[in-house]
């Protein structure tokens, strides 16, 4: 499974992701990523303790989550 598109709120934070045409909340996607079911991402933790999705570094900025098409 791979994230194809993202949905952002007014502040620019990703709130949902689209995988194979299905929409998942960020929390659901974090659980899938923890279980290694989404390729190309990992779960990181902010200083606040909040978990978030992060693209695996590969030198290609075009596939970073913030640069994916929105829906």
């Amino acid at each position: 499974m791979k994230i194809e598109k993202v949905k952002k709120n007014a502040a620019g934070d990703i709130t949902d992701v689209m995988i194979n045409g299905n929409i998942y909340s960020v929390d659901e996607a974090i659980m899938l990523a923890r279980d290694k079911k989404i390729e190309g991402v990992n779960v990181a933790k902010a200083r606040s303790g909040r978990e978030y999705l992060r693209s695996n570094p590969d030198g290609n900025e075009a596939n970073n989550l913030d640069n994916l098409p929105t829906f």
Side-chain angles (χ1 to χ4, degrees):
M1 294 183 0
K2 192 170 188 170
I3 297 174
E4 305 158 350
K5 296 181 180 183
V6 297
K7 185 175 188 178
K8 298 180 181 182
N9 63 17
D13 298 322
I14 296 172
T15 59
D16 301 276
V17 298
M18 183 181 288
I19 302 169
N20 297 333
N22 297 308
I23 298 170
Y24 299 90
S25 71
V26 169
D27 291 335
E28 291 170 317
I30 286 171
M31 288 189 287
L32 291 170
R34 263 198 228 121
D35 292 341
K36 308 283 188 222
K37 294 183 178 177
I38 303 176
E39 61 184 87
V41 299
N42 61 73
V43 179
K45 193 173 276 197
R47 289 186 179 144
S48 66
R50 183 182 64 89
E51 291 184 320
Y52 65 96
L53 288 176
R54 190 170 84 179
S55 300
N56 291 338
D58 64 0
N60 180 5
E61 289 189 23
N63 65 7
N64 289 353
L65 294 177
D66 276 337
N67 296 334
L68 290 178
T70 58
F71 66 94

